[in-house]
Amino acid sequence: MRYMIIVRATPLSEAGIIPDDSPLMAAMASYHEDLAKAGVLLDAAGLQPSSKGWRIRWSATKPMLTDGPFAETKELIAGYTVIQVRSTEEAMEWSRRFPRPFPAGTDCEIEVRRLYEPEDFAPGGR
């Protein structure tokens, strides 16, 4: 089972401010090293602010491109980690260990979502 741990954006991440917090960065590096040692880490990265991105919206007629930044920070993603584990319980345990992604005093949140697997689309799939 693959899961994505999604770090929600904050005004800091949308401003392109990388926390100058050595303990925070060390905790994140240590967490990802632990995932790698356990053999469950598939990928992890921080994302540039939405001002450096774009969206494509499909309508009935054609796709429309919109350059960032995007207004609703709470709907944006600042980074992610993808893990592959044996159970939902194992994914929950790893996500509980995820370090606080922004400095103290900054409201922040992670979200965990399971990725679809090919067997989910097979007849009689989950």
Side-chain angles (χ1 to χ4, degrees), residues 9-11 100 102-103 105-109:
T10 67
R100 179 183 182 82
F102 293 96
T106 303
D107 288 344
C108 53
E109 176 180 48

Side-chain angles (χ1 to χ4, degrees), residues 81-92:
T81 299
V82 179
I83 59 174
Q84 185 167 21
V85 294
R86 293 178 296 277
S87 66
T88 300
E89 293 74 20
E90 186 179 0
M92 284 182 190

Side-chain angles (χ1 to χ4, degrees), residues 19-34 99-100:
D20 185 25
D21 185 339
S22 295
L24 176 118
M25 299 307 269
M28 196 64 71
S30 177
Y31 174 75
H32 284 96
E33 286 173 17
D34 289 348
R100 179 183 182 82

Side-chain angles (χ1 to χ4, degrees), residues 4-8 77 79-81 109-113:
M4 179 178 279
I5 302 169
I6 302 162
V7 178
R8 292 288 182 188
I77 298 170
Y80 67 91
T81 299
E109 176 180 48
I110 65 168
E111 176 181 338
V112 182
R113 304 269 303 271

Side-chain angles (χ1 to χ4, degrees), residues 18-86:
I18 298 172
D20 185 25
D21 185 339
S22 295
L24 176 118
M25 299 307 269
M28 196 64 71
S30 177
Y31 174 75
H32 284 96
E33 286 173 17
D34 289 348
L35 289 170
K37 286 177 188 171
V40 300
L41 178 65
L42 295 179
D43 193 21
L47 300 176
Q48 297 268 342
S50 69
S51 61
K52 297 185 179 187
W54 57 89
R55 289 182 176 168
I56 298 175
R57 182 179 304 267
W58 282 267
S59 68
T61 57
K62 62 180 182 175
M64 179 178 290
L65 185 125
T66 305
D67 289 327
F70 306 114
E72 292 294 322
T73 302
K74 67 181 181 178
E75 296 177 4
L76 300 175
I77 298 170
Y80 67 91
T81 299
V82 179
I83 59 174
Q84 185 167 21
V85 294
R86 293 178 296 277

